[in-house]
Amino acid sequence: MIKIIVTALVMALIGLASPQVGATMTSSSYLIQRDGVTGGGLSPGTSPGYTGQGALVALPTPVTALSSPSFTSSQASPAQAALDGRNGVIDPSNTSGVPQLGDVLIVLKAAVGDLVLTPSQRFHADVAPLRNGRPDPDGKVDLGDVLLILRRVVHLVSW
Amino acid sequence: MYRNLALCAALLCCLILPGCGGGGSAGSNAATAKAVTKVQTAGLLPGGEVLGAIRITLGLPYGVTVALDPATGLPAANVVQLVGAADPTLVFQQVHYLAPTPTARGSLSFVVVNAQGFGALEYLAVQLDITPGYFPAAGDFTVSDFAVAGISNYQETTISNPTLSVEIK
């Protein structure tokens, strides 16, 4: 019980000391990098940052109190974004995590201007081209994305 | 009596004959004509890359329209066809039609995607209707926003000098 209370207090302190963590994020893709952070087994400098989508940011575990917590965020480059889980799933009713026919039809309609994708849909639809078998998004949703998502749906390609 | 009948016939001819004539203008031709536009898919990408997706916008002359599905008001399913597809179940398309207005010509935009890639002998056929009384010429059709993507590189490539064949029937 005491352990639970102490853990809760530590988490609350982290929250109070880290006002930027809860800042409003307006882009769908951010690269989170440490900025002079010490504690928690981290040291400031050149270690890789953490990528996240929207407000979902993966922090190192275990999370312990940081002496000077501070984070800066910047938009991820296309190459960085390739690693952040965009999957070609743009149909809100598709919860499988892999693209299905509905996703193809949505991106097909967008390709002729019949509908406008939301920022989140654009993010997940931008999967082409492939580099070494992995999505290497080029920052736009075009014919390449339509074709790649369709070919994944019919199991002619995977990533 | 006969003189009056002959006069009436001559008057009728004068009213009808000026309606027949030149290309692109309204007239009195009662036969419904068709225009078939063909787009070849082979050889559009360099290096033997197989084409998997194509997007085109056709500018339509006045008097040229597309058949609409009465249930949806959208272009009918047979307006854009991929002829010769090895497996039609792997071909998907989306067609967007802008009807003409008094100040702007109509246009037809479409994307056709073939998951297996387009075969060498496959081509796109676009069925268009010509309103009676209009006589468009092949040169009245325009092509814009012509882009393709290959099934290996998945990169959209713009075709700058598209060739299009138009057959008026």
Side-chain angles (χ1 to χ4, degrees):
Chain A
M1 184 64 181
I2 292 173
K3 192 175 177 183
I4 293 173
I5 293 172
V6 169
T7 305
L9 280 172
V10 169
M11 295 303 287
L13 281 173
I14 292 172
L16 287 172
S18 310
Q20 293 180 31
V21 171
T24 301
M25 293 182 163
T26 55
S27 175
S28 56
S29 175
Y30 286 89
L31 175 66
I32 310 297
Q33 291 180 308
R34 294 190 303 279
D35 182 15
V37 176
T38 58
L42 302 175
S43 58
T46 57
S47 301
Y50 301 91
T51 58
Q53 183 192 333
L56 299 175
V57 178
L59 292 174
T61 53
V63 176
T64 54
L66 305 177
S67 61
S68 58
S70 168
F71 291 88
T72 57
S73 65
S74 58
Q75 259 193 296
S77 71
Q80 293 159 341
L83 306 172
D84 60 15
R86 58 183 79 208
N87 53 15
V89 175
I90 50 180
D91 181 358
S93 67
N94 179 5
T95 57
S96 68
V98 292
Q100 297 174 345
L101 210 49
D103 302 294
V104 176
L105 298 179
I106 289 175
V107 76
L108 200 49
K109 284 183 178 179
V112 292
D114 274 352
L115 62 82
V116 178
L117 299 178
T118 66
S120 174
Q121 286 175 318
R122 275 204 307 275
F123 174 84
H124 282 289
D126 183 14
V127 288
L130 286 184
R131 294 269 184 262
N132 300 318
R134 301 279 300 166
D136 184 19
D138 54 9
K140 56 190 177 185
V141 178
D142 59 16
L143 281 184
D145 302 295
V146 180
L147 183 57
L148 181 53
I149 294 171
L150 171 60
R151 283 173 61 80
R152 174 156 183 185
V153 168
V154 297
H155 306 295
L156 288 173
V157 70
S158 64
W159 68 75
Chain B
M1 175 69 179
Y2 288 113
R3 184 178 293 175
N4 284 344
L5 275 177
L7 214 69
C8 284
L11 269 172
L12 209 60
C13 285
C14 287
L15 287 172
I16 290 173
L17 284 177
C20 306
S25 59
S28 63
N29 187 353
T32 302
K34 296 271 184 190
V36 179
T37 304
K38 290 183 181 176
V39 181
Q40 299 293 336
T41 61
L44 289 174
L45 284 174
E49 172 77 12
V50 177
L51 199 71
I54 190 165
R55 183 184 65 234
I56 300 178
T57 295
L58 288 178
L60 307 177
Y62 278 112
V64 176
T65 60
V66 302
L68 300 178
D69 183 333
T72 63
L74 299 173
N78 64 346
V79 169
V80 178
Q81 290 178 309
L82 179 60
V83 179
D87 186 351
T89 63
L90 295 177
V91 178
F92 292 82
Q93 62 171 274
Q94 183 72 23
V95 182
H96 182 84
Y97 173 58
L98 274 180
T101 67
T103 55
R105 304 193 316 170
S107 68
L108 187 72
S109 302
F110 53 89
V111 171
V112 180
V113 190
N114 186 344
Q116 282 189 318
F118 295 103
L121 299 178
E122 295 176 21
Y123 65 91
L124 291 172
V126 184
Q127 307 283 340
L128 303 163
D129 294 337
I130 301 176
T131 306
Y134 285 84
F135 305 93
D140 296 335
F141 293 80
T142 61
V143 182
S144 60
D145 190 26
F146 192 168
V148 297
I151 64 169
S152 297
N153 61 19
Y154 300 106
Q155 286 187 312
E156 183 173 305
T157 303
T158 301
I159 306 297
S160 52
N161 297 309
T163 55
L164 190 74
S165 73
V166 180
E167 185 183 349
I168 309 286
K169 293 183 175 177

